[in-house]
mmCIF file of all heavy atoms in Angstrom:
data_model
loop_
_atom_site.group_PDB
_atom_site.id
_atom_site.type_symbol
_atom_site.label_atom_id
_atom_site.label_comp_id
_atom_site.label_asym_id
_atom_site.label_seq_id
_atom_site.Cartn_x
_atom_site.Cartn_y
_atom_site.Cartn_z
ATOM 1 N N LYS W 15 6.550 -7.005 5.323
ATOM 2 C CA LYS W 15 5.773 -5.765 5.273
ATOM 3 C C LYS W 15 6.656 -4.539 5.411
ATOM 4 O O LYS W 15 7.538 -4.497 6.262
ATOM 5 C CB LYS W 15 4.734 -5.764 6.410
ATOM 6 C CG LYS W 15 3.997 -4.441 6.569
ATOM 7 C CD LYS W 15 2.739 -4.570 7.426
ATOM 8 C CE LYS W 15 2.170 -3.199 7.746
ATOM 9 N NZ LYS W 15 0.905 -3.237 8.456
ATOM 10 N N GLY W 17 4.677 -1.513 4.274
ATOM 11 C CA GLY W 17 3.581 -0.525 4.247
ATOM 12 C C GLY W 17 2.259 -1.187 3.899
ATOM 13 O O GLY W 17 2.106 -2.415 4.005
ATOM 14 N N GLY W 18 1.326 -0.351 3.451
ATOM 15 C CA GLY W 18 -0.043 -0.811 3.234
ATOM 16 C C GLY W 18 -0.192 -1.881 2.158
ATOM 17 O O GLY W 18 -1.129 -2.679 2.204
ATOM 18 N N ASP W 21 -0.557 -5.109 3.778
ATOM 19 C CA ASP W 21 -1.881 -5.351 4.372
ATOM 20 C C ASP W 21 -2.859 -5.818 3.296
ATOM 21 O O ASP W 21 -3.663 -6.727 3.518
ATOM 22 C CB ASP W 21 -2.424 -4.083 5.036
ATOM 23 C CG ASP W 21 -1.570 -3.620 6.202
ATOM 24 O OD1 ASP W 21 -0.569 -2.932 5.956
ATOM 25 O OD2 ASP W 21 -1.869 -3.957 7.349
ATOM 26 N N SER W 303 3.405 6.081 10.574
ATOM 27 C CA SER W 303 3.644 6.298 9.150
ATOM 28 C C SER W 303 5.033 5.883 8.702
ATOM 29 O O SER W 303 5.972 5.888 9.494
ATOM 30 C CB SER W 303 3.473 7.795 8.849
ATOM 31 O OG SER W 303 3.490 8.035 7.481
ATOM 32 N N ARG W 304 5.119 5.544 7.443
ATOM 33 C CA ARG W 304 6.424 5.602 6.799
ATOM 34 C C ARG W 304 6.781 7.075 6.785
ATOM 35 O O ARG W 304 5.909 7.914 6.560
ATOM 36 C CB ARG W 304 6.332 5.144 5.335
ATOM 37 C CG ARG W 304 6.254 3.675 5.115
ATOM 38 C CD ARG W 304 6.312 3.324 3.635
ATOM 39 N NE ARG W 304 5.213 3.882 2.878
ATOM 40 C CZ ARG W 304 5.340 4.775 1.886
ATOM 41 N NH1 ARG W 304 6.526 5.226 1.535
ATOM 42 N NH2 ARG W 304 4.283 5.228 1.232
ATOM 43 N N LYS W 309 3.942 11.857 2.775
ATOM 44 C CA LYS W 309 3.062 11.858 3.944
ATOM 45 C C LYS W 309 2.786 13.244 4.525
ATOM 46 O O LYS W 309 2.004 13.388 5.458
ATOM 47 C CB LYS W 309 3.622 10.915 5.013
ATOM 48 C CG LYS W 309 3.757 9.463 4.531
ATOM 49 C CD LYS W 309 2.396 8.833 4.238
ATOM 50 C CE LYS W 309 2.523 7.410 3.694
ATOM 51 N NZ LYS W 309 1.210 6.797 3.422
ATOM 52 N N LEU W 331 4.922 7.676 15.558
ATOM 53 C CA LEU W 331 5.725 6.476 15.315
ATOM 54 C C LEU W 331 6.024 6.414 13.830
ATOM 55 O O LEU W 331 5.106 6.459 13.002
ATOM 56 C CB LEU W 331 4.919 5.226 15.707
ATOM 57 C CG LEU W 331 5.507 3.881 15.268
ATOM 58 C CD1 LEU W 331 6.773 3.551 16.059
ATOM 59 C CD2 LEU W 331 4.480 2.758 15.441
ATOM 60 N N GLY W 332 7.287 6.326 13.485
ATOM 61 C CA GLY W 332 7.579 6.242 12.057
ATOM 62 C C GLY W 332 9.052 5.993 11.801
ATOM 63 O O GLY W 332 9.894 6.158 12.683
ATOM 64 N N ALA W 358 10.902 4.141 14.701
ATOM 65 C CA ALA W 358 10.935 2.671 14.681
ATOM 66 C C ALA W 358 9.834 2.161 13.787
ATOM 67 O O ALA W 358 8.912 2.892 13.423
ATOM 68 C CB ALA W 358 10.712 2.130 16.091
ATOM 69 N N TYR W 359 9.958 0.907 13.442
ATOM 70 C CA TYR W 359 8.844 0.204 12.801
ATOM 71 C C TYR W 359 8.370 -0.800 13.837
ATOM 72 O O TYR W 359 9.096 -1.715 14.200
ATOM 73 C CB TYR W 359 9.318 -0.497 11.515
ATOM 74 C CG TYR W 359 8.141 -1.071 10.791
ATOM 75 C CD1 TYR W 359 7.468 -0.330 9.818
ATOM 76 C CD2 TYR W 359 7.641 -2.324 11.131
ATOM 77 C CE1 TYR W 359 6.346 -0.831 9.203
ATOM 78 C CE2 TYR W 359 6.516 -2.828 10.516
ATOM 79 C CZ TYR W 359 5.879 -2.080 9.552
ATOM 80 O OH TYR W 359 4.756 -2.567 8.954
ATOM 81 N N ASP W 360 7.167 -0.607 14.384
ATOM 82 C CA ASP W 360 6.750 -1.423 15.522
ATOM 83 C C ASP W 360 5.233 -1.622 15.482
ATOM 84 O O ASP W 360 4.460 -0.720 15.808
ATOM 85 C CB ASP W 360 7.180 -0.703 16.814
ATOM 86 C CG ASP W 360 6.939 -1.552 18.058
ATOM 87 O OD1 ASP W 360 5.953 -2.312 18.094
ATOM 88 O OD2 ASP W 360 7.754 -1.437 18.992
ATOM 89 N N GLY W 384 -4.537 4.841 1.754
ATOM 90 C CA GLY W 384 -4.325 5.102 3.172
ATOM 91 C C GLY W 384 -5.145 4.102 3.950
ATOM 92 O O GLY W 384 -6.334 3.914 3.690
ATOM 93 N N LEU W 385 -4.493 3.439 4.882
ATOM 94 C CA LEU W 385 -5.212 2.457 5.693
ATOM 95 C C LEU W 385 -5.384 2.937 7.124
ATOM 96 O O LEU W 385 -6.403 2.683 7.760
ATOM 97 C CB LEU W 385 -4.456 1.120 5.675
ATOM 98 C CG LEU W 385 -4.360 0.475 4.285
ATOM 99 C CD1 LEU W 385 -3.441 -0.732 4.308
ATOM 100 C CD2 LEU W 385 -5.741 0.080 3.781
ATOM 101 N N ASN W 386 -4.385 3.655 7.642
ATOM 102 C CA ASN W 386 -4.451 4.009 9.054
ATOM 103 C C ASN W 386 -5.659 4.867 9.410
ATOM 104 O O ASN W 386 -6.220 4.738 10.494
ATOM 105 C CB ASN W 386 -3.160 4.697 9.496
ATOM 106 C CG ASN W 386 -2.054 3.687 9.703
ATOM 107 O OD1 ASN W 386 -1.154 3.563 8.900
ATOM 108 N ND2 ASN W 386 -2.156 2.926 10.781
ATOM 109 N N TYR W 389 -8.395 2.369 9.844
ATOM 110 C CA TYR W 389 -8.256 1.701 11.153
ATOM 111 C C TYR W 389 -8.729 2.646 12.251
ATOM 112 O O TYR W 389 -9.459 2.254 13.163
ATOM 113 C CB TYR W 389 -6.796 1.315 11.446
ATOM 114 C CG TYR W 389 -6.123 0.421 10.426
ATOM 115 C CD1 TYR W 389 -4.748 0.491 10.214
ATOM 116 C CD2 TYR W 389 -6.849 -0.507 9.687
ATOM 117 C CE1 TYR W 389 -4.116 -0.321 9.287
ATOM 118 C CE2 TYR W 389 -6.223 -1.323 8.758
ATOM 119 C CZ TYR W 389 -4.862 -1.226 8.562
ATOM 120 O OH TYR W 389 -4.233 -2.023 7.651
HETATM 121 P P1 LIG O 501 1.649 3.323 3.031
HETATM 122 O O1 LIG O 501 1.378 2.022 2.392
HETATM 123 O O2 LIG O 501 1.771 4.451 2.071
HETATM 124 O O3 LIG O 501 2.807 3.274 3.968
HETATM 125 P P2 LIG O 501 -0.920 2.935 4.409
HETATM 126 O O4 LIG O 501 -1.695 3.833 5.290
HETATM 127 O O5 LIG O 501 -1.642 2.314 3.290
HETATM 128 O O6 LIG O 501 0.359 3.729 3.925
HETATM 129 O O7 LIG O 501 -0.380 1.696 5.243
HETATM 130 C C1 LIG O 501 0.629 1.757 6.181
HETATM 131 C C2 LIG O 501 0.665 0.441 6.945
HETATM 132 O O8 LIG O 501 1.963 0.286 7.504
HETATM 133 C C3 LIG O 501 -0.313 0.400 8.099
HETATM 134 O O9 LIG O 501 -0.686 -0.934 8.380
HETATM 135 C C4 LIG O 501 0.524 0.965 9.242
HETATM 136 O O10 LIG O 501 0.072 0.573 10.502
HETATM 137 C C5 LIG O 501 1.890 0.370 8.922
HETATM 138 N N1 LIG O 501 3.010 1.194 9.384
HETATM 139 C C6 LIG O 501 3.530 2.281 8.776
HETATM 140 N N2 LIG O 501 4.566 2.761 9.484
HETATM 141 C C7 LIG O 501 4.694 1.976 10.554
HETATM 142 C C8 LIG O 501 5.601 1.957 11.662
HETATM 143 N N3 LIG O 501 6.547 2.877 11.800
HETATM 144 N N4 LIG O 501 5.457 0.981 12.574
HETATM 145 C C9 LIG O 501 4.487 0.049 12.438
HETATM 146 N N5 LIG O 501 3.614 0.015 11.432
HETATM 147 C C10 LIG O 501 3.717 0.957 10.485
#
Side-chain angles (χ1 to χ4, degrees):
K15 172 165 171 175
D21 297 83
S303 189
R304 282 186 298 117
K309 300 294 177 179
L331 169 70
Y359 187 91
D360 187 326
L385 297 172
N386 282 105
Y389 303 150

